[in-house]
Structures are given as structure tokens and as C-alpha cells.
Amino acid sequence: MAGRSRARLTSVDYIGLRLLGKEGPTGRDLLTGELPVLALTVLCLVATARTPQVAARRRARRLLPIPDRLKLVSMTWRAVVLLAVVWTLGAWHILWPPLWPATAALVAAAVVGALRMPRLPTARGPRPRLRWATTVASVLLWTAVAAAVVIAWAAR
């Protein structure tokens, strides 16, 4: 039973609550249990969907420069890790399940399209070494999060 997904177990939660003497989940149970997971899922999907928005930017706007290849690499890795987090911890018994593959397909299409742009510079800005350093730091940070997700998958 430990290998089953959370979505399959939630359909019988009411039986366990009845055996414990509770009538059903209260508003407080929803607030302390389901709402934070739902908020985390939605926030991760929104952050992941930001990758296509950045990849599609063609002109610089105020405080939003045109992306470079390093930015796309770090944002793509972040999107992949966030998709793994959402897949593992997401509230898929509440949200519409095709949301995950739709977001993944959107990210993949945007990144493939952006990386094929021939004039996209590797590092944009006056200090390319700093750009490389921030990209490496970002990739390392999201790699640590990915390691935690892999450990969570292994512990299932």
C-alpha cells in the first residue's frame, strides 16, 4: 500500500475518518492539509510556465532584458525540477491532471524554439563572468532540490 499514489488513497479517507469517529473533513482540515499542497502545486506550475514567457521575449522591456542562452539553460533546469516537484507533491486529486503534461509540453516547445534562434547570445550584459557564475549557482541550487525529489521518490 505504500507504493500507491496519494490520489488513490484520498478516495477512502472518509472511511478512515468515520472509523476514528469523525464525520468528515472539516474546513480546518482542508486549510491545514489540502490548501497548502494545492497552493504549492499552482505556484510551481506558474513558475514553470514563466519559462516560455521568457523564451518568447523578442524585445527588451523595462527591467526585462532579452534572454540569453545561459538564462534559458537555468530556467529550463528550474522548470524541469519544478515539474518533478509538482509531480511528486502535487494535489492531483483536486487539480485537473492534464495540467501537468500541458505545462511540460509548453516548456519543451518554448525552449526548443528559443534555443534554435541563431542570434541568441550565450551571455548578455556587461559582465559575462558574473552571468556565468549566477547560472552555475542557479543550476547547483536546483540540482540540490532535484536530489531531494529523487530521495522522496526513492522513499516511496
Side-chain angles (χ1 to χ4, degrees):
M1 193 164 222
R4 291 192 179 184
S5 72
R6 198 164 144 201
R8 292 184 196 151
L9 293 177
T10 57
S11 62
V12 296
D13 284 349
Y14 70 95
I15 296 172
L17 289 172
R18 292 287 296 206
L19 289 172
L20 292 172
K22 284 184 136 185
E23 288 298 316
T26 63
R28 184 175 181 178
D29 294 336
L30 178 66
L31 183 63
T32 59
E34 299 295 328
L35 197 57
V37 173
L38 181 64
L40 173 74
T41 305
V42 170
L43 285 174
C44 285
L45 286 174
V46 168
T48 301
R50 189 166 164 355
T51 301
Q53 174 198 10
V54 171
R57 195 176 316 134
R58 300 277 189 244
R59 285 186 239 153
R61 285 185 256 152
R62 191 173 175 192
L63 300 175
L64 296 173
I66 298 171
D68 53 17
R69 289 182 189 268
L70 291 176
K71 178 75 169 173
L72 290 175
V73 165
S74 64
M75 288 194 76
T76 302
W77 181 235
R78 180 191 72 181
V80 168
V81 172
L82 284 176
L83 284 171
V85 167
V86 167
W87 179 262
T88 305
L89 304 174
W92 297 114
H93 58 286
I94 297 173
L95 286 175
W96 187 50
L99 214 59
W100 190 90
T103 306
L106 185 67
V107 168
V111 170
V112 166
L115 289 177
R116 298 181 85 189
M117 292 188 336
R119 296 183 312 202
L120 197 62
T122 301
R124 185 179 302 278
R127 294 178 253 157
R129 286 186 184 175
L130 181 62
R131 187 76 191 100
W132 276 97
T134 57
T135 300
V136 168
S138 173
V139 168
L140 288 176
L141 171 74
W142 289 107
T143 301
V145 174
V149 170
V150 168
I151 291 170
W153 281 345
R156 281 184 169 193

